[in-house]
Amino acid sequence: MGEVSESVTMDDYEVVIIGAGICGLATAVALHKKGIKSIVMERSETLRSITGAAIGIRQNGWRALDQLGVADVLRGTAIPIQRERFVGLDGGKLQETSMKGETRCLRRKDLIDTLYAALPPATVKFGCELESIKLDPNTKKPVLRFIDGSSITPKVVIGCEGGKSIVANFLNLKATKMFPLCSVRGLSNYPNGHSFDHDFARFRKDNSLVGRIPIDNHLVYWFCGRPYVPIEERIWEDPEAIRRSTLELLTDYPQEIKEMIEIADAKSLSFTHLRYRSPWDLLTGTFCKGSVTVAGDAMHVMGPFLGQGGSAGLEDAVVLARNLAQMGLDRVEEAFNLYVKQRRLRVVQLSLQTYLTGMLVGASSRLMKIIFIVLLSLLFRNLSGHVDYDCGGL
Ligand SMILES: Cc1cc2nc3c(=O)[nH]c(=O)nc-3n(C[C@H](O)[C@H](O)[C@H](O)COP(=O)(O)OP(=O)(O)OC[C@H]3O[C@@H](n4cnc5c(N)ncnc54)[C@H](O)[C@@H]3O)c2cc1C
C-alpha cells in the first residue's frame, strides 16, 4: 500500500482521513492543532495541487484559515480583491459593487502545499485508494479495504474523498446529481504584468459566462461556465482541446478575454462537469454512523456559483476537530452528532443558494429566470450574507 511502511503500528490508524484534498488536509491540520494524531490516505501518488488552478476565498474561508494557523502565509501569496464587476456583453448594464470582506484568489497549489506543510512528516500516505468500508460485525469498528487488497480497522474514519465519496455511500447518502453545466478553468501569466484592476470581473453573453480574478500582478485565474454537451469525456483530458473549444465558444468576447485564454498555461487547463448534492438530501441525510463521518465535498459537493464549496470544507474541518477535541476519542459518536448538527443548516443554506443561482445561470426561458430570481430574493434577502458566517474557534 503506497508508502505505508512496516513500522506503522495500528495505533497510527486511530483516526483515518480519506482524501488529501483541501478538506482532508485541513481536517488533519485542525486535529493536529488540537493534539489529535491522524493519518490521511490519498489515492494519488503525489499531492493533487494543480487540478482546478485556483480558488476564491471569501471572509468566512479566511476565518477558518486563521483558525488553522495558515492564513498569514497564504495572505502573502495573493492580492486582496476590492470589487465585483458584472458586464453584460449583450448590451446589459455594467454593475459594480465593492467586495464584502476579505477576498483573495489563491493558487490551489499554494493552499494545498501550505496545509501539507503544517502537518507532521508522513501524515499523508500516498497511493492508498479506498475500495470499500464496512463495519466489523463483532467489534462494530469500521473496516477499510484498499484496492491493493490491504485493510485496516481504525477507530475513527472521516471521508474527505470528494463528490464521488465511498464513505458517503456507506452512510447511505443519496447519489449526487449533475448540473447541465460545465466549467473550464485556467491560469494565465503576464510576464510584464497585466493591466487588470484588482476586481472579480464576470462577463456574460448568451449562455456562457467568463470570470476573471487576478492572483497577483502577473497571474490571473479565469473560468468559463457553459452548458454541458454530452460528448466523449476523454476529449477533455487534452488541454489543447479544452482551449480550442473554449475559444470557439467565446468568439464574440472582447480581445483581452480571448488573449487570456490563448496564453493560459496548458497544465492549468481543466474541464469539469458540475456535480451537486441536492439541498433537500443535505437537510435529511445521515452524515455520521458510529465513528464514521464525512466532510467537504463528500458531504456537500455544490456548484461553483457562490465560490463556497472549498471554504465550506475548511469550516467543516474546524468544527469537526473542535468537537472531537472537546469530547475526546472515547465519545466520538457524540462528537460527530454535534458536528453534523452544527454544520447541517449552514451547508443546506449554502447549497440551496448555490443551486438556485446555478439554475438561474442555466435557465433558458425568461419565465424560469424570473422564478429563480424571485425564489432567491425571497429566501436570501442578503445575497452575500453567507460570507459573514463565522465557524468559531478551533
Ligand atoms: C469549477 C469550480 C470552481 C470552484 N471554485 C471555488 C471557489 O472559488 N471557492 C471555493 O471555496 N470553492 C470552489 N469550488 C469548490 C471546491 O473546489 C471544492 O469544494 C473543494 O475542492 C473540495 O475539496 P475536498 O477536499 O472536499 O474534495 P476534493 O478536492 O475532491 O479532494 C478529494 C481528495 O480525495 C482523493 N480521493 C478520492 N477518492 C479516493 C479514494 N477512494 N481513496 C483515497 N483518496 C481518494 C482525491 O484524489 C482528492 O485528493 C469550485 C469547484 C468547481 C468545480
Side-chain angles (χ1 to χ4, degrees):
M1 190 201 291
E3 289 178 13
V4 179
S5 67
E6 298 277 311
S7 62
V8 175
T9 67
M10 279 314 286
D11 282 349
D12 289 317
Y13 293 118
E14 265 209 326
V15 179
V16 169
I17 296 168
I18 309 295
I22 293 170
C23 184
L25 294 173
T27 303
V29 171
L31 290 172
H32 173 60
K33 284 186 82 74
K34 300 303 285 184
I36 300 174
K37 187 173 178 187
S38 68
I39 291 282
V40 185
M41 302 297 205
E42 165 59 45
R43 74 175 165 197
S44 305
E45 296 296 336
T46 52
L47 277 182
R48 289 178 66 248
S49 52
I50 295 179
T51 321
I55 183 165
I57 304 283
R58 305 293 304 267
Q59 178 174 270
N60 57 305
W62 284 104
R63 288 196 177 113
L65 290 171
D66 271 324
Q67 290 304 318
L68 297 173
V70 293
D72 284 340
V73 175
L74 289 168
R75 281 189 180 100
T77 68
I79 53 174
I81 301 297
Q82 317 284 5
R83 278 180 308 276
E84 274 186 283
R85 212 152 51 86
F86 295 88
V87 185
L89 297 174
D90 297 315
K93 273 197 309 205
L94 171 81
Q95 291 172 28
E96 210 171 278
T97 48
S98 48
M99 203 56 126
K100 186 175 187 186
E102 181 175 7
T103 304
R104 292 168 205 261
C105 182
L106 299 176
R107 282 179 206 88
R108 290 206 181 226
K109 180 168 170 38
D110 288 339
L111 177 55
I112 292 271
D113 287 355
T114 304
L115 288 168
Y116 183 74
L119 289 170
T123 299
V124 181
K125 308 292 171 201
F126 293 101
C128 302
E129 180 166 354
L130 180 70
E131 185 179 59
S132 69
I133 166 170
K134 58 181 186 194
L135 289 187
D136 182 299
N138 301 319
T139 63
K140 300 290 174 217
K141 275 186 163 189
V143 182
L144 300 178
R145 192 177 168 81
F146 293 85
I147 53 158
D148 65 357
S150 62
S151 56
I152 51 172
T153 310
K155 191 166 188 175
V156 176
V157 176
I158 306 167
C160 298
E161 355 81 286
K164 298 182 195 164
S165 165
I166 291 169
V167 181
N169 290 345
F170 162 83
L171 295 173
N172 286 327
L173 295 177
K174 291 209 180 115
T176 53
K177 301 187 171 70
M178 306 307 287
F179 279 106
L181 297 165
C182 54
S183 185
V184 169
R185 288 173 279 177
L187 291 174
S188 300
N189 185 41
Y190 296 78
N192 299 322
H194 59 74
S195 54
F196 308 130
D197 291 333
H198 293 184
D199 60 12
F200 176 15
R202 265 168 281 189
F203 304 83
R204 185 158 193 153
K205 185 160 179 26
D206 303 326
N207 52 9
S208 63
L209 173 89
V210 173
R212 183 188 69 202
I213 324 183
I215 293 176
D216 57 31
N217 291 327
H218 295 270
L219 197 65
V220 174
Y221 166 62
W222 56 265
F223 58 84
C224 169
R226 52 184 291 182
Y228 177 68
V229 187
I231 53 170
E232 178 58 68
E233 292 267 340
R234 265 194 319 195
I235 273 202
W236 306 119
E237 285 167 19
D238 172 11
E240 292 312 326
I242 297 177
R243 193 194 312 271
R244 252 191 329 271
S245 142
T246 310
L247 284 168
E248 276 163 21
L249 183 80
L250 304 180
T251 41
D252 295 335
Y253 272 64
Q255 189 52 34
E256 63 177 29
I257 300 282
K258 291 188 277 188
E259 190 184 290
M260 177 175 75
I261 293 163
E262 274 159 15
I263 66 163
D265 175 8
K267 286 198 295 297
S268 74
L269 293 173
S270 66
F271 171 97
T272 314
H273 186 184
L274 302 175
R275 180 183 291 276
Y276 69 101
R277 191 177 294 292
S278 75
W280 21 102
D281 291 344
L282 284 170
L283 195 60
T284 55
T286 303
F287 292 112
C288 58
K289 198 190 279 178
S291 62
V292 179
T293 193
V294 276
D297 275 15
M299 185 197 240
H300 47 63
V301 60
M302 59 184 86
F305 315 108
L306 298 186
Q308 278 290 352
S311 287
L314 295 171
E315 294 172 4
D316 293 342
V318 172
V319 177
L320 192 153
R322 179 175 67 221
N323 283 307
L324 207 49
Q326 268 167 16
M327 301 284 180
L329 288 183
D330 294 329
R331 292 161 69 199
V332 176
E333 202 166 334
E334 271 175 82
F336 281 177
N337 280 326
L338 209 54
Y339 153 69
V340 171
K341 197 171 163 202
Q342 290 174 3
R343 293 302 292 151
R344 192 184 298 274
L345 188 60
R346 167 70 172 158
V347 296
V348 167
Q349 283 173 341
L350 275 181
S351 83
L352 181 60
Q353 189 179 348
T354 298
Y355 174 79
L356 292 172
T357 310
M359 295 314 275
L360 172 64
V361 171
S364 46
S365 79
R366 213 178 151 75
L367 176 67
M368 290 311 287
K369 280 193 194 300
I370 292 171
I371 291 175
F372 289 121
I373 289 172
V374 170
L375 280 173
L376 274 167
S377 50
L378 283 177
L379 292 168
F380 302 96
R381 290 268 154 88
N382 177 0
L383 288 177
S384 55
H386 56 86
V387 309
D388 293 331
Y389 183 86
D390 185 347
C391 61
L394 239 186

